[in-house]
């Protein structure tokens, strides 16, 4: 069975890995990048370099883009005729930007699927690499076999085009605080002449513990019942002093202040004896899905 021809627009680290996986799976692959020289390694592996983004779009029924932002994607495709093409974007961005992109694609007659890849370029093509999509299910079904080439764990979240961006930003919010917390730990150990590597076994167990309690928290959040805490707001409030105590070991702890402020606000709102997951109520500031069902004392 002949493989679907695919065009990949955007050959940065991620776009190049996507094009590489498609070539390896035997898809006729046309590529375009603003800086054409980045296509050279792919051309040597069989990719066809299009002279313009418009030519690239004309070459295949399925167009996969991986530029820095949605805005960059629109800029690159501005002069291309997208009518009838299946357009799949795989850049990061906010749900609102995804909705704008969907409108733009619709106006140009494209069939649009918005995707997100939550892994690094070297993981592209692996059986457990997760990519999720929101938008036109018919496009997803039609090209599922091709999309699975990019990662075996390929999921359609729903017809709403902003769902991939919504889940991506929802999951992604943990990354920077978790990493900065880890780097702060490494700085604390360094202040005592200890290698960051010695933190690894304990940090790993810590992250495993966090994963293990997430289902408890989601149950509390979804039911709005925070009244039987395994870890209360008061406990976290008391712990803030110990966190800040790392300053005495020569560590800059200023980044923690907004999180401690959030915990203090929860205490002031009367949530001290509730589960720490009640912070979700403070973080919900009136969006469509926000809940006001927290059982206050
Ligand atoms: N790398 C990762 O680990 C990773 C993981 C998950 C998701 N992502 C997401 O994937 C997307 C791409 O990431 P990347 O790592 O591949 O970035 P990158 O290496 O910096 O590449 C960016 C790409 O966007 C192109 N570009 C940017 N602005 C443009 C414009 N105005 N017109 C035309 N082309 C433009 C660049 O073209 P030039 O080559 O001409 O500059 C390049 O092809 C981002 O949204 C990123 O968040 C990346």
């Amino acid at each position: 069975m002949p493989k679907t021809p695919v065009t990949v627009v955007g050959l940065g680290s991620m776009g190049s890995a996507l094009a590489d996986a498609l070539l390896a799976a035997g898809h006729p692959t046309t590529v375009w990048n603003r800086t054409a020289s980045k296509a050279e390694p792919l051309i040597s592996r069989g990719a066809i370099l299009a002279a313009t983004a418009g030519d690239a779009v004309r070459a295949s029924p399925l167009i996969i883009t991986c530029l820095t932002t949605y805005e960059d994607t629109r800029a690159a495709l501005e002069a291309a005729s997208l009518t009838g093409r299946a357009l799949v974007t795989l850049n990061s961005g906010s749900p609102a930007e995804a909705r704008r992109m969907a409108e733009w694609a619709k106006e140009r007659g494209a069939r649009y699927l918005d995707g997100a890849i939550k892994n690094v370029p070297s993981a592209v093509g692996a059986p457990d690499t997760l990519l999720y999509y929101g938008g036109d299910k018919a496009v997803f079904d039609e090209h599922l076999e091709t999309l699975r080439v990019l990662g075996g764990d390929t999921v359609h979240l729903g017809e709403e085009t902003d769902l991939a961006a919504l889940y991506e930003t929802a999951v992604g919010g943990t990354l920077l605080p978790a990493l900065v917390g880890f780097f702060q730990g490494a700085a604390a150990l360094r202040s005592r002449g200890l290698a960051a590597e010695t933190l690894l076994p304990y940090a790993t167990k810590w992250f495993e513990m966090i994963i293990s309690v997430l289902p408890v928290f989601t149950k509390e959040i979804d039911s709005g019942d925070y009244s039987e805490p395994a870890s209360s707001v008061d406990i976290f409030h008391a712990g803030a002093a110990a966190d800040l105590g790392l300053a005495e070991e020569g560590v800059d702890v200023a980044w923690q202040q907004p999180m401690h402020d959030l915990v203090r606000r929860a205490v002031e709102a009367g949530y001290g004896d509730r589960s720490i997951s009640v912070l979700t109520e403070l973080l919900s500031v009136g969006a469509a899905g926000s809940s006001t069902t927290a059982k206050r004392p």
Side-chain angles (χ1 to χ4, degrees):
M1 179 108 168
K3 300 281 176 100
T4 306
V6 186
T7 285
V8 178
V9 174
L11 301 176
S13 322
M14 187 54 90
S16 292
L18 300 171
D20 216 17
L22 291 162
L23 284 167
H27 287 268
T29 305
T30 300
V31 294
W32 181 82
N33 195 54
R34 180 178 58 183
T35 309
S37 58
K38 285 192 191 164
E40 280 162 18
L42 293 161
I43 295 166
S44 70
R45 288 195 284 280
I48 301 151
L49 176 65
T52 65
D55 289 347
V57 167
R58 259 188 299 280
S60 317
L62 174 61
I63 319 300
I64 297 176
T65 64
C66 192
L67 284 76
T68 313
T69 64
Y70 289 107
E71 204 182 345
D72 296 326
T73 308
R74 289 193 294 272
L77 297 181
E78 190 56 52
S81 169
L82 291 167
T83 309
R85 291 287 184 267
L87 173 65
V88 178
T89 53
L90 278 174
N91 55 277
S92 307
S94 72
E97 287 166 350
R99 292 193 290 274
R100 270 193 288 282
M101 182 73 207
E103 273 304 304
W104 182 92
K106 196 173 151 196
E107 281 163 20
R108 280 157 180 78
R111 302 161 65 218
Y112 180 54
L113 196 59
D114 177 59
I117 177 160
K118 293 305 289 179
N119 217 318
V120 290
S122 58
V124 168
D128 61 345
T129 292
L130 171 66
L131 290 100
Y132 36 54
Y133 297 89
D136 195 328
K137 177 77 160 55
V139 173
F140 180 82
D141 289 341
E142 191 179 322
H143 294 292
L144 181 55
E145 206 181 313
T146 307
L147 297 176
R148 280 217 177 104
V149 167
L150 310 177
D153 192 0
T154 286
V155 179
H156 187 260
L157 295 165
E159 289 279 348
E160 291 162 64
T161 352
D162 58 357
L163 280 176
L166 180 65
Y167 274 87
E168 187 192 24
T169 43
V171 171
T174 56
L175 183 61
L176 194 56
L179 289 181
V180 176
F182 182 77
F183 301 148
Q184 171 189 269
L189 292 183
R190 173 186 279 176
S191 74
R192 302 285 290 272
L194 294 164
E197 199 179 3
T198 63
L199 191 54
L200 267 185
Y202 311 114
T204 302
K205 286 254 176 201
W206 188 245
F207 281 122
E208 285 169 359
M209 178 282 291
I210 293 171
I211 291 168
S212 77
V213 295
L214 293 183
V216 176
F217 290 147
T218 51
K219 210 166 159 192
E220 292 170 346
I221 294 162
D222 289 341
S223 67
D225 183 354
Y226 304 98
S227 63
E228 291 180 38
S231 308
S232 69
V233 171
D234 282 338
I235 288 290
F236 277 82
H237 192 227
D243 291 346
L244 296 177
L246 272 184
E248 291 180 61
E249 310 303 317
V251 177
D252 183 342
V253 295
W255 70 280
Q256 295 201 34
Q257 199 56 54
M259 287 186 288
H260 291 152
D261 285 348
L262 187 64
V263 172
R264 181 184 43 74
R265 276 168 44 216
V267 172
E268 287 167 4
Y271 291 137
D273 63 351
R274 305 286 125 161
S275 168
I276 188 66
S277 64
V278 79
L279 293 187
T280 309
E281 301 298 329
L282 276 77
L283 292 165
S284 303
V285 289
S290 77
S291 160
T292 50
T293 54
K295 293 184 179 61
R296 299 173 71 134

